[in-house]
Amino acid sequence: MRILILALALSLPLAVAAATPKGPTVAQYDSEDVAKSHCPYDVIVWVNPHQRLWYTHNSKHYANDGVGGFACKEEAVKARYKQGK
């Protein structure tokens, strides 16, 4: 029983570390208009924070993947998000 408790106690920090996002995050907005008011001279993209990807408006994932939000492309690139396909 002690071994089980010890194993659980040791695995908890690993689970927390795996669940936290790697690197900087990107400010996400609920609508394109709000994002555009934040960065009027930048391209608005859809970001998926779980996969750390961004998509342009011509992607099938743009505002259609169930997670994420609208963001400024420059901020997504600076946060090391990669362009999705």
Side-chain angles (χ1 to χ4, degrees):
M1 184 68 165
R2 287 186 206 176
I3 294 174
L4 178 61
I5 293 171
L6 181 61
L8 289 172
L10 292 175
S11 65
L12 183 61
L14 295 175
V16 169
T20 56
K22 308 286 188 261
T25 59
V26 175
Q28 298 176 39
Y29 304 96
D30 294 332
S31 73
E32 289 178 272
D33 291 336
V34 175
K36 197 65 172 169
S37 69
H38 177 72
C39 50
Y41 303 108
D42 198 1
V43 174
I44 303 303
V45 296
W46 180 261
V47 293
N48 181 322
H50 300 300
Q51 296 177 337
R52 298 187 59 79
L53 296 173
W54 59 267
Y55 301 98
T56 58
H57 73 282
N58 58 352
S59 170
K60 68 179 181 179
H61 298 287
Y62 187 83
N64 196 30
D65 66 358
V67 296
F70 298 98
C72 306
K73 179 181 173 184
E74 186 175 317
E75 291 178 7
V77 171
K78 283 182 182 177
R80 298 189 303 269
Y81 280 47
K82 303 294 182 196
Q83 182 175 7
K85 298 185 185 219

